[in-house]
Amino acid sequence: MIILAFLLIIIASVPIEGKCSRLPSGKCWVNCMEDIFDVICNSVSAAMVHSDISVFADTSQELRLYIWSSPNITRLSADIFHLVASQILTIDLQDLTALDTFPEVYGLVNLRRLSVWNSPKLVALSLELLPRSLYRIALNKIGLSYFINNFANIVAMPNLQQFVLRNLTIKGWQNDFLKVFPRLTLLEISNSTIDVEDGNLSQEADLRRFHNETKVETISTLKFFNNGFTKATKDASIKFSHALLASITLQSGENGDVDISMNNMSISSDMIRGGLMATAVRINMRGNSVEGATGMFEGFTQLTELDMSRTKLLAMRGMFSGLPALHSLKLHHNNLQNLSQIDIFEGSQSFNLTYLDLSYNDIHILPALNSLVRIASQVTYLNLQGNRLQLFLSNTSWQFENQHAGIAAFSRLETLILSHNRFSVFHGFHLAPLTRLKVLDISCNPLEVLRKEAFTDLPSSLVDVDVSMCIRPPKLPPRFEKDAFTTMPPIRILRMRASAYKKSIFSALRFSRETTQSLEELYMDDNDMTALLNNSLPRLPNLRILGLSRNKLQSVQAGLFAGLPNLLRLNLKANRIGSIGANEFTNSHRHLQQLEELDISDNGLYQIHRGAFDGLPKLRSLMLGWNPTEIQGIFESGGRRLEYLGIQGYNHSCLKPEFFEQLPRLRWILPDIYNLVLANPDDRLNRRDEHLISLLQVCEVGPDVPDHETYPGLKQYVGVTIHDTDEGDGVQYPLITAFLPLNYCPVDDYVQQLGDIICTSAITMDH
């Protein structure tokens, strides 16, 4: 079991006053570090909640109440909250799997947000139990499937603006269901199943009646994405979905946002030109099927962002004309292979287009004469990944003139993605006209050889170049000549991942004097390297980041990094380094004296010599996860600046107090890849921490807005739980809390699982 109990000793100096710790039941904690207190309860009964929040009955303190992982709660009646009814602003219920009655919160006159997550027995939405003050309702993974109510005796909810439904099965929808929310601005139905059996909307009269009864004109943000349809009722369910979307007239303005992506529906021109989208600023219809695209966006004068990726789109003349405000267009994974013959921008008034994604469209040739060339001069980001381009033909080819003109038209281009195409040779002079180019990605192309001509005449503006080959052994890498990189412009970032280069590539990394001085980041991950000697790495005096992860390195030579005096971040993750001895990172070599971040996780480390990292005086982040070694004594006199510690998969004994006494600045602990633990709450909690984003492996799918509120200052994270680590002897410690990133993919019982990573049988410590 991962155990962090004793880390609390390092923050015992934080003052705890009055009610700023564990509450009477022993199952609820309060975080009083902000103006609004967070009361978090795990594994509680309704009676425990009542007794704990009653502590604040004689105060005016505002509260956010979180009740999680409490399977014994079947109902939450009004008397539970009445003593603090005017003080509760948020109620968040998660994993109350036995809850079978909607909570009676009508008396909470200042309640703003109500979220219910994973209560499968909750099958009715009782709007009469909700206060008029509510601003947001979010229902996720509950048993509710019929949105039908008798509104005759229900007082309207004038302040509700956000209504969120996720992971539900919708079987019935009363036509005037949304009329009870007269100020609704956001409607979300996502990751759900539509199973409407009696949705007979085949007759024009039925559609007209549904539209008139359902019509909503207040919404500015619609999210109807990633939904599916039950096979037996698919036709009726799709008709219902179309009718529901058609009944919504989007409120015009700068916030007009429509996301109807990933529903696998057919989207017609009539639907697009209807009231739902005509005034939208952003439209995402990715993952549907679009029928008849010509002229469908005529008159969309406010549209700035359009995503029609994966819509089976065929090139049609003038399909994107009449979009004067458009600045982002995503068309990846479609069928636009005839782009050179069919002018999709004919008659276009798009003079603001800066972001264009045409990846994976089977494009062979870029047009040289049509409207795309006229529009190209304003594009700063162009993605041509995954096509069949043969851009870098010799200048004797009959196609050379057209291709050269097609590329040169993008005169303001800053980012060009050409990965996963089919060119076997690369000549940099083709890109010489792109004098503003900063990022160039030519990775994963079948290049046969790298000569110095490959990089000759590349724009001097380049900052970031990716020449990763995406090769896996036994496939051989391209041949490279010893002077291949001498013509590389003075870039700052070079990526050469997954190329089967082994250590031999370093002998070819002979840069010009300017590039040697300018290079700051070098990524050589996944290159099948087994050993690096002291003279393997070239001298790069200003290199800040070196990536050597997922190779097969078995050891770290003591003087290996001598030529990198200003290295700040070193990634050795997922190699085969079995032990870290006394000499690799010791102060006697005076190497890596600027190093701030070191990742040696997942290396099969069975031994770390005591004091092995003491010679790294500026070390802020140390990732040791997924290694079988004991870590109790890794610091002897070092670690004084350590702020981030990764111990994913650590399953030894409870960490001793002495371990944390060595780490006075320790702030964050990462016990697994999807969450982190706050070890030392201080004023930095209220600042955005970019470092955490790079450390966490965040799932790409999932909502980007949480059902529950983000923790103050950590806008990209949501608080998960607060743990009590004493044995009930009355000793109260400062708070310890875990966080999840917004785009996380947890298992259903993630709250309970997170509870298991803290040692709960620690010896009680005095302050």
Side-chain angles (χ1 to χ4, degrees):
M1 179 184 292
I2 301 175
I3 31 76
L4 303 175
F6 287 105
L7 64 86
L8 294 174
I9 195 170
I10 64 169
I11 48 174
S13 60
V14 178
I16 301 298
E17 299 177 359
K19 312 169 187 65
C20 212
S21 189
R22 199 167 47 125
L23 292 173
S25 72
K27 298 287 186 176
C28 295
W29 280 72
V30 57
N31 169 28
C32 65
M33 298 184 65
E34 303 295 328
D35 293 338
I36 302 173
F37 286 7
D38 293 312
V39 178
I40 299 98
C41 302
N42 276 329
S43 302
V44 293
S45 65
M48 290 177 181
V49 176
H50 172 71
S51 66
D52 284 1
I53 61 177
S54 296
V55 169
F56 302 97
D58 296 328
T59 74
S60 58
Q61 178 60 53
E62 294 179 318
L63 306 172
R64 289 185 288 248
L65 177 61
Y66 303 86
I67 306 174
W68 296 335
S69 193
S70 299
N72 293 327
I73 293 180
T74 59
R75 63 188 297 263
L76 291 167
S77 58
D79 62 297
I80 292 173
F81 311 108
H82 78 279
L83 291 176
V84 289
S86 63
Q87 297 161 239
I88 298 179
L89 306 183
T90 294
I91 291 183
D92 188 288
L93 311 175
Q94 293 192 42
D95 292 322
L96 273 60
T97 52
L99 186 69
D100 58 15
T101 305
F102 203 77
E104 297 180 355
V105 292
Y106 53 82
L108 308 186
V109 295
N110 292 312
L111 187 67
R112 293 270 294 166
R113 299 168 63 104
L114 174 65
S115 300
V116 185
W117 188 337
N118 196 19
S119 292
K121 295 183 178 180
L122 195 62
V123 298
L125 172 61
S126 304
L127 294 176
E128 65 272 18
L129 299 180
L130 300 176
R132 293 166 59 91
S133 59
L134 261 182
Y135 169 83
R136 175 184 172 94
I137 299 176
L139 306 175
N140 192 335
K141 280 191 178 180
I142 69 172
L144 177 66
S145 57
Y146 289 92
F147 293 82
I148 299 173
N149 288 278
N150 177 9
F151 292 109
N153 298 316
I154 297 178
V155 177
M157 303 183 65
N159 295 302
L160 194 89
Q161 296 186 33
Q162 299 183 359
F163 187 57
V164 177
L165 304 175
R166 296 174 182 161
N167 296 292
L168 306 180
T169 297
I170 297 177
K171 292 180 174 290
W173 188 278
Q174 186 170 306
N175 289 359
D176 60 352
F177 176 77
L178 296 176
K179 293 298 179 66
V180 76
F181 311 135
R183 296 183 59 193
L184 190 65
T185 59
L186 180 150
L187 173 64
E188 177 181 331
I189 302 175
S190 63
N191 299 289
S192 296
T193 300
I194 313 298
D195 184 17
V196 180
E197 295 182 0
D198 57 348
N200 186 6
L201 298 169
S202 58
Q203 302 299 320
E204 185 65 30
D206 296 328
L207 287 169
R208 189 161 50 250
R209 186 184 72 255
F210 184 92
H211 182 271
N212 291 335
E213 293 178 358
T214 310
K215 188 175 182 181
V216 179
E217 298 180 320
T218 59
I219 291 176
S220 59
T221 301
L222 173 69
K223 296 180 179 292
F224 188 88
F225 65 88
N226 204 30
N227 298 301
F229 305 97
T230 302
K231 185 176 181 180
T233 63
K234 184 175 181 179
D235 290 343
S237 297
I238 289 179
K239 287 178 181 177
F240 160 75
S241 300
H242 281 162
L244 179 63
L245 296 176
S247 69
I248 296 172
T249 300
L250 199 70
Q251 188 83 343
S252 62
E254 61 182 21
N255 296 321
D257 191 347
V258 176
D259 185 348
I260 56 172
S261 61
M262 309 305 294
N263 294 304
N264 198 24
M265 298 189 306
S266 294
I267 308 297
S268 65
S269 296
D270 291 339
M271 182 177 174
I272 291 175
R273 286 194 293 260
L276 173 61
M277 301 190 194
T279 59
V281 175
R282 291 171 293 275
I283 297 177
N284 181 357
M285 58 181 73
R286 175 168 49 96
N288 294 294
S289 179
V290 174
E291 301 174 352
T294 301
M296 63 168 56
F297 295 109
E298 186 175 349
F300 279 50
T301 58
Q302 299 182 62
L303 189 63
T304 62
E305 299 178 26
L306 176 61
D307 188 343
M308 295 185 68
S309 309
R310 299 183 183 274
T311 56
K312 302 178 182 177
L313 195 64
L314 297 172
M316 297 183 185
R317 193 177 304 277
M319 61 197 300
F320 296 113
S321 61
L323 297 171
L326 191 68
H327 69 74
S328 174
L329 179 59
K330 299 178 182 178
L331 301 172
H332 62 80
H333 290 88
N334 282 304
N335 302 304
L336 303 177
Q337 60 266 36
N338 295 326
L339 192 68
S340 59
Q341 288 85 36
I342 300 176
D343 190 349
I344 64 175
F345 292 100
E346 185 179 76
S348 175
Q349 300 176 16
S350 298
F351 299 113
N352 297 292
L353 189 65
T354 58
Y355 186 106
L356 180 59
D357 188 344
L358 294 169
S359 57
Y360 295 97
N361 272 288
D362 203 27
I363 299 171
H364 291 68
I365 301 173
L366 285 179
L369 300 173
N370 70 19
S371 298
L372 177 59
V373 174
R374 181 169 55 85
I375 292 172
S377 61
Q378 66 230 17
V379 175
T380 59
Y381 176 98
L382 177 62
N383 191 343
L384 294 169
Q385 176 180 340
N387 286 292
R388 299 191 180 189
L389 295 169
Q390 295 277 350
L391 290 176
F392 303 103
L393 303 169
S394 67
N395 56 11
T396 60
S397 167
W398 66 272
Q399 293 179 338
F400 171 75
E401 296 279 345
N402 281 347
Q403 290 297 276
H404 192 75
I407 286 289
F410 292 88
S411 56
R412 297 185 183 179
L413 204 61
E414 296 180 0
T415 299
L416 176 59
I417 312 297
L418 293 170
S419 60
H420 293 275
N421 274 275
R422 298 193 175 184
F423 47 85
S424 56
V425 294
F426 175 77
H427 295 290
F429 69 84
H430 288 273
L431 305 182
L434 309 182
T435 57
R436 301 188 183 187
L437 192 64
K438 296 179 180 178
V439 178
L440 173 63
D441 184 350
I442 57 170
S443 64
C444 307
N445 282 288
L447 297 179
E448 297 174 355
V449 61
L450 282 177
R451 298 186 175 94
K452 64 180 181 180
E453 289 80 11
F455 308 114
T456 301
D457 292 329
L458 281 176
S460 59
S461 57
L462 271 172
V463 173
D464 186 341
V465 175
D466 193 337
V467 289
S468 303
M469 292 294 104
C470 304
I471 293 173
R472 296 294 182 186
K475 188 176 179 180
L476 296 176
R479 292 185 298 108
F480 48 86
E481 298 182 351
K482 295 297 185 181
D483 58 354
F485 295 92
T486 58
T487 56
M488 183 74 75
I491 59 174
R492 295 207 305 266
I493 303 170
L494 178 60
R495 307 174 194 273
M496 302 185 68
R497 296 184 170 112
S499 303
Y501 281 135
K502 300 187 177 181
K503 68 176 181 179
S504 58
I505 186 61
F506 287 116
S507 64
L509 291 182
R510 300 175 182 176
F511 302 110
S512 68
R513 181 177 179 180
E514 291 77 15
T515 306
T516 299
Q517 293 292 323
S518 66
L519 197 64
E520 296 179 1
E521 301 180 24
L522 177 61
Y523 299 93
M524 305 294 294
D525 315 276
D526 300 288
N527 269 302
D528 204 29
M529 298 178 188
T530 56
L532 292 176
L533 304 178
N534 286 354
N535 61 352
S536 294
L537 301 180
R539 178 169 178 78
L540 298 168
N542 293 306
L543 196 73
R544 304 289 191 269
I545 300 174
L546 176 60
L548 292 170
S549 65
R550 296 179 301 279
N551 282 286
K552 297 178 182 178
L553 299 175
Q554 300 180 52
S555 63
V556 179
Q557 295 286 330
L560 178 60
F561 307 106
L564 312 175
N566 288 299
L567 197 65
L568 300 179
R569 184 187 304 170
L570 176 60
N571 188 351
L572 295 169
K573 179 180 180 180
N575 278 279
R576 300 177 179 180
I577 303 170
S579 65
I580 301 293
N583 298 320
E584 281 87 338
F585 302 109
T586 57
N587 204 31
S588 59
H589 293 283
R590 305 302 299 175
H591 301 154
L592 300 177
Q593 294 302 287
Q594 305 301 318
L595 194 70
E596 296 182 357
E597 303 175 20
L598 175 61
D599 189 341
I600 53 174
S601 58
D602 194 17
N603 262 284
L605 278 171
Y606 57 87
Q607 182 183 31
I608 299 178
H609 191 277
R610 184 174 181 83
F613 306 111
D614 288 356
L616 304 175
K618 295 187 177 182
L619 192 64
R620 295 175 58 239
S621 172
L622 179 60
M623 298 294 111
L624 295 171
W626 310 115
N627 286 307
T629 184
E630 174 65 62
I631 65 172
Q632 295 278 7
I634 59 173
F635 288 106
E636 195 167 48
S637 60
R640 311 306 292 179
R641 295 193 179 189
L642 197 70
E643 297 181 36
Y644 309 88
L645 177 64
I647 56 172
Q648 303 95 314
Y650 181 76
N651 57 4
H652 288 264
S653 59
C654 292
L655 294 173
K656 298 177 181 178
E658 293 81 5
F659 178 80
F660 294 100
E661 289 175 352
Q662 286 289 120
L663 312 174
R665 295 192 184 184
L666 188 64
R667 182 182 175 202
W668 296 102
I669 293 179
L670 283 78
D672 64 51
I673 61 175
Y674 291 126
N675 72 88
L676 54 146
V677 171
L678 175 64
N680 191 353
D682 56 26
D683 65 312
R684 292 174 298 177
L685 179 63
N686 293 314
R687 305 175 195 164
R688 182 175 177 85
D689 196 330
E690 297 288 349
H691 183 73
L692 293 176
I693 298 176
S694 64
L695 290 177
L696 285 167
Q697 299 178 26
V698 182
C699 289
E700 294 297 329
V701 276
D704 58 2
V705 178
D707 283 341
H708 41 300
E709 292 186 61
T710 56
Y711 203 80
L714 292 175
K715 301 304 181 185
Q716 67 272 42
Y717 299 103
V718 290
V720 175
T721 185
I722 288 184
H723 303 277
D724 182 358
T725 56
D726 67 49
E727 294 183 300
D729 295 333
V731 178
Q732 294 183 334
Y733 296 113
L735 99 100
I736 169 174
T737 182
F739 294 87
L740 285 171
L742 295 187
N743 291 347
Y744 60 97
C745 302
V747 292
D748 289 345
D749 60 343
Y750 74 94
V751 171
Q752 183 61 48
Q753 289 197 14
L754 284 178
D756 293 337
I757 69 172
I758 304 299
C759 181
T760 56
S761 59
I763 300 173
T764 302
M765 297 178 294
D766 296 327
H767 280 278

